[in-house]
């Protein structure tokens, strides 16, 4: 009997949290090989060993999304493996709400936007051709967050400030120091994170508009629920790290475990019912493992086609694609 060829998925930020658990969930499906694209190789190796993942189900490769050169090198290294590419998951993110002054990437861009948006934007563009030529129906998934969508309960809380890209004045001005916000205004670290995640959804929608019909790639986003104890919050106040999980479990009902969130991300990567491009998937009472997913309405700003196109054009300049 002829052995079925494995499909390959790249997951960024797979050393912990949702990315790691999605890697675990997909690796348990015999038809998937997971490329874990991570900045910290030893940390990732310890994590997969702790989960007991079989060595033949994954490959760990270095990727620092805060460095555009590292993104380009990762793509070269991946192609050198000779593997096909069937799915790309843009999961990695940094969140630094306590910063008083902005940190900048090696390329000179505010760090959370550089990592969460610009690094992924370049990665998506460079790997489009690989996805188009994969063995099966390809998918590209960019994770979203409830905090960037005012139409959801978690996005209605204006602390520290709601996402707002303005007219992308900061990007238009080159986005180098002292500029640290996409709208060109005063630096607010929590808002910089929300803005970067709004960019993720706008990028997904623009990828869909530009490339779905011509490539057959399914582009989508999802919010699997609030993983309140993930390492994403490691740079928050200690009290927040204690209170926030309780609040999400008992007040909002949004809390999910890393394992459940990882399983949900794996569903969007692999299952037939998520073969709808341009969609943003979410779950109702997110704590219930058997809760059915639905298509979440996106924010007005995320649905702004003109802004999506402008963001694309300016981002392409910032990462050196044009």
């Amino acid at each position: 009997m002829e052995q079925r060829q494995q499909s390959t998925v790249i997951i960024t930020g797979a050393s912990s949290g949702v990315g790691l658990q999605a890697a675990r969930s997909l690796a348990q499906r015999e038809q998937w090989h997971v490329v874990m694209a991570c900045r910290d190789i030893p940390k990732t190796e310890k994590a997969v060993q702790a989960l007991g993942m079989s060595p033949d189900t994954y490959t760990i490769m270095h990727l620092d999304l805060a460095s555009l050169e590292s993104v380009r090198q990762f793509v070269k290294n991946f192609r050198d493996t000779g593997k096909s590419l069937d799915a790309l998951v843009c999961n990695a993110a940094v969140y630094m709400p306590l910063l008083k002054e902005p940190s900048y990437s090696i390329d000179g861009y505010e760090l959370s936007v550089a990592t969460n948006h610009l690094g992924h934007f370049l990665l998506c563009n460079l790997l489009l051709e690989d996805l188009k030529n994969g063995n099966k129906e390809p998918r590209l998934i960019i994770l979203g967050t409830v905090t960037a969508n005012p139409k959801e309960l978690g996005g209605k809380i204006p602390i520290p400030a709601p996402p707002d890209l303005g007219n992308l004045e900061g990007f238009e001005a080159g986005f180098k120091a002292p500029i640290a916000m996409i709208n060109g205004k005063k630096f607010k670290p929590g808002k910089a994170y929300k803005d970067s995640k709004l960019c993720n959804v706008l990028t997904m929608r623009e990828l869909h508009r530009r490339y779905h019909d011509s490539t057959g790639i399914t582009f989508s986003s999802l919010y699997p629920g609030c993983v309140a104890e993930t390492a994403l919050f490691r740079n928050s106040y200690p009290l927040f790290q204690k209170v926030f999980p309780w609040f999400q479990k008992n007040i909002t009902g949004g809390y999910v475990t890393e394992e459940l969130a990882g399983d949900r991300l794996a569903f969007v990567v692999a299952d037939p019912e998520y073969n709808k491009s341009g969609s943003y998937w979410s779950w109702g009472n997110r704590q219930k493992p058997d809760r059915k997913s639905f298509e979440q309405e996106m924010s007005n700003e995320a649905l702004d086609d003109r802004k999506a196109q402008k963001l694309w054009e300016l981002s392409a300049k910032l990462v050196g694609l044009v």
Side-chain angles (χ1 to χ4, degrees):
M1 182 176 178
E2 184 179 352
Q3 188 175 11
R4 184 180 176 186
Q5 187 171 1
Q6 275 191 319
S7 299
T8 301
V9 55
I10 294 172
I11 303 177
T12 68
S15 63
S16 64
V18 178
L20 174 63
Q21 293 299 330
R24 181 265 313 158
S25 188
L26 286 165
Q28 289 172 347
R29 305 183 182 211
E30 293 182 358
Q31 69 268 36
W32 284 94
H33 184 88
V34 184
V35 174
M36 305 173 74
C38 304
R39 185 177 54 184
D40 189 333
I41 299 294
K43 176 184 176 182
T44 312
E45 290 172 340
K46 289 180 181 178
V48 296
Q49 289 168 8
L51 285 177
M53 290 173 60
S54 175
D56 61 352
T57 63
Y58 67 88
T59 301
I60 300 172
M61 297 181 65
H62 180 263
L63 171 62
D64 181 358
L65 285 160
S67 164
L68 299 175
E69 177 56 35
S70 177
V71 174
R72 291 187 172 89
Q73 186 62 49
F74 169 82
V75 171
K76 181 182 182 300
N77 293 343
F78 172 74
R79 287 174 177 161
D80 286 346
T81 68
K83 295 182 182 298
S84 66
L85 182 60
D86 303 282
L88 170 62
V89 177
C90 298
N91 160 77
V94 296
Y95 174 53
M96 300 169 290
L98 304 184
L99 289 182
K100 303 299 183 184
E101 300 293 334
S103 292
Y104 290 92
S105 72
I106 191 171
D107 301 294
Y109 303 134
E110 190 279 321
L111 193 58
S112 57
V113 173
T115 304
N116 304 349
H117 168 57
L118 292 173
H120 277 135
F121 179 85
L122 178 60
L123 184 68
C124 290
N125 275 274
L126 295 180
L127 289 174
L128 277 176
E129 195 68 23
D130 302 75
L131 279 168
K132 187 176 72 172
N133 296 325
N135 292 322
K136 56 182 288 189
E137 173 208 280
R139 297 185 186 182
L140 193 160
I141 297 144
I142 308 177
L143 266 74
T145 174
V146 69
T147 62
N149 187 358
K151 292 182 181 177
E152 291 197 76
L153 175 62
K156 294 183 186 297
I157 303 171
I159 301 172
D164 176 17
L165 306 183
N167 200 31
L168 306 169
E169 294 90 343
F171 269 18
E172 281 190 315
F175 203 54
K176 294 288 181 75
I179 301 168
M181 299 298 287
I182 295 172
N183 63 5
K185 295 185 178 180
K186 183 180 178 181
F187 177 64
K188 296 179 180 178
K191 182 179 180 297
Y193 168 77
K194 291 182 181 181
D195 287 351
S196 72
K197 297 305 292 179
L198 173 58
C199 288
N200 287 161
V201 180
L202 284 162
T203 298
M204 179 276 289
R205 292 191 63 250
E206 187 66 4
L207 280 163
H208 166 73
R209 187 188 73 83
R210 287 172 179 253
Y211 297 114
H212 172 63
D213 288 344
S214 61
T215 66
I217 300 170
T218 295
F219 301 99
S220 61
S221 292
L222 77 150
Y223 176 62
C226 183
V227 189
E229 292 157 324
T230 180
L232 179 65
F233 299 112
R234 62 184 175 273
N235 295 314
S236 301
Y237 288 109
L239 181 62
F240 174 87
Q241 295 181 50
K242 291 181 179 179
V243 172
F244 188 57
W246 179 90
F247 182 79
Q248 292 294 336
K249 289 176 184 177
N250 298 289
I251 304 300
T252 71
Y255 175 88
V256 298
T257 63
E258 291 182 348
E259 291 81 5
L260 178 55
D263 287 339
R264 287 172 172 172
L265 176 51
F267 297 158
V268 178
V269 171
D271 289 359
E273 56 262 44
Y274 299 98
N275 178 26
K276 184 176 179 182
S277 192
S279 297
Y280 188 112
W281 300 100
S282 191
W283 282 259
N285 184 332
R286 298 183 175 97
Q287 295 187 53
K288 295 183 178 180
D290 59 349
R291 185 72 182 197
K292 297 298 183 182
S293 59
F294 65 96
E295 288 188 66
Q296 173 67 50
E297 184 182 5
M298 291 174 260
S299 71
N300 292 339
E301 195 169 9
L303 293 170
D304 187 334
D305 291 340
R306 185 175 298 179
K307 185 166 287 187
Q309 292 180 46
K310 185 173 182 179
L311 174 67
W312 182 282
E313 291 162 2
L314 292 174
S315 298
K317 291 180 180 178
L318 293 176
V319 303
L321 287 173
V322 294

